[in-house]
Amino acid sequence: MTIVEIGLPRRLVEFTVDGEVARVPEGSTILDACAAVGKEIPTLCYGDTLEPANACRVCMVEVEGSRTLVPSCSRKAEPGMVVRTETDRTRLSRKVVLELLGSATDLSTTPGVADWMAESGAAPERFGPPAPPADDRDERRPGEHEIPDGNTAATVCQPVKVDNELYVRDYGKCIQCYKCVDACGEQWQNTFAITMAGRGFDARISTEFANPLPDSACVYCGNCVEVCPTGALSFKREHDKREDGTWDESRQTATTTVCTFCGVGCNLTLHVQDNEIVKVTSPHESSVTHGNLCIKGRFGWQHVQNR
């Protein structure tokens, strides 16, 4: 039996994960404990700088005595709790969720999904071939729904929104994890430029009155891009290089430095490919930024390589 302790010295909670005893600081989640004992739990909507949204349901685990599966990203560890991460129920749940997401959404740029699909035996194609791409979903009339033909799998595929020179919105890859809404809203930026619109399968991320980003309240901090787990939001430069087939992360270097635009001291990580900055992120563990930046820090690097 292995005993693992994580966190700073404070009151510890002891419970069992797949037969291993874990001791985690009070207030830690099951997901924290699983990471402590070296067990990888797939998750898409979890973000280490945001409150859990419980949206994707990929990280469900079984807790002894609980009638239903519970989301490990938000369920707090309790003394004596017995958790099982690999049971018939959890494997089936993960398989079905990945199949439903994969049948309706383009997950080609989502890290880790291909491995999770293979491990769980998920087969999104069993729902049929994808339906043809739709028009901009923001232009649909509220309350109107098309009757499915029964021969194809409904998808959220739609034209990519390119209405500015900084970042691109490809909502055909959006799984509605709410991370961008939370980052833009009360958890970080407090701009509230984007939110959920529509209901049911027509639910989507949108701006107020579906206005283009330049006409919205967006301040282009890019913090929504930072937390997006699927590539639905991406730097314009990254999108362009993916489109022409030249995006190659294996050839990129990442260098962390300090932003020089003001005196706050935000940390920047410059991602460089072929001697060209292709995007800028910020370390999530930074005590100054926690992964967040302003428009200058996130996008104000073009002058370094002005052509």
Side-chain angles (χ1 to χ4, degrees), residues 160-162 164-170 220-228 231-243 247 252 268-271 277-282 291 293-302:
V160 178
K161 293 178 181 288
V162 185
N164 65 91
E165 291 300 315
L166 301 182
Y167 71 93
V168 171
R169 296 176 290 163
D170 185 358
Y220 295 98
C221 62
N223 294 331
C224 56
V225 182
E226 178 76 32
V227 299
C228 180
L233 303 174
S234 63
F235 284 79
K236 179 69 162 54
R237 188 65 182 136
E238 176 181 348
H239 172 76
D240 292 343
K241 292 182 76 66
R242 286 187 184 276
E243 286 293 297
W247 181 263
Q252 295 177 11
L268 308 180
T269 299
L270 308 178
H271 299 257
I277 299 174
V278 291
K279 70 175 182 180
V280 174
T281 60
S282 182
L293 295 170
C294 72
I295 181 174
K296 293 181 290 185
R298 184 87 62 188
F299 297 108
W301 39 263
Q302 288 84 351

Side-chain angles (χ1 to χ4, degrees), residues 20 22 28 36 67 105 120 150 186 271 286 297 304 306:
E20 297 185 52
S28 299
R67 181 177 59 85
T105 314
S120 64
E186 62 183 9
H271 299 257
S286 169
V304 177
N306 188 7

Side-chain angles (χ1 to χ4, degrees), residues 4-180:
V4 181
E5 298 183 9
I6 64 173
L8 298 174
R10 55 188 170 120
R11 186 174 185 272
L12 298 178
V13 174
E14 182 178 303
F15 69 115
T16 305
V17 180
D18 290 338
E20 297 185 52
V21 175
R23 289 176 178 163
V24 296
E26 189 175 30
S28 299
T29 64
I30 294 175
L31 190 64
D32 295 330
C34 289
V37 298
K39 295 186 179 296
E40 180 183 355
I41 303 294
T43 183
L44 291 171
C45 72
Y46 172 76
D48 57 359
T49 62
L50 298 167
E51 292 293 324
N54 300 326
C56 75
R57 317 306 281 184
V58 177
C59 72
M60 307 297 281
V61 296
E62 192 168 350
V63 174
E64 191 173 278
S66 177
R67 181 177 59 85
T68 61
L69 299 178
V70 301
S72 63
C73 66
S74 62
R75 180 65 179 268
K76 302 298 184 184
E78 300 173 9
M81 178 184 281
V82 178
V83 178
R84 299 182 181 88
T85 66
E86 290 293 336
T87 65
D88 291 341
R89 291 180 71 193
T90 59
R91 284 191 290 266
L92 178 61
S93 173
R94 195 171 302 148
K95 174 178 180 291
V96 172
V97 168
L98 289 172
E99 285 180 338
L100 291 172
L101 288 175
S103 69
T105 314
D106 176 9
L107 300 178
S108 60
T109 56
T110 306
V113 162
D115 293 336
W116 300 341
M117 290 275 193
E119 291 173 4
S120 64
E125 61 276 6
R126 73 185 179 92
F127 297 112
D135 296 330
D136 189 337
R137 301 175 79 222
D138 271 332
E139 297 178 357
R140 295 182 181 179
R141 292 184 60 187
E144 291 197 356
H145 302 275
E146 297 180 2
I147 300 176
D149 58 19
N151 298 317
T152 58
T155 74
V156 297
C157 186
Q158 60 181 308
V160 178
K161 293 178 181 288
V162 185
D163 53 14
N164 65 91
E165 291 300 315
L166 301 182
Y167 71 93
V168 171
R169 296 176 290 163
D170 185 358
Y171 287 146
K173 297 177 180 179
C174 178
I175 62 169
Q176 298 173 33
C177 66
Y178 292 83
K179 291 173 73 173
C180 61

Side-chain angles (χ1 to χ4, degrees), residues 267 283-290:
N267 288 169
H284 288 196
E285 67 273 12
S286 169
S287 60
V288 178
T289 62
H290 299 287

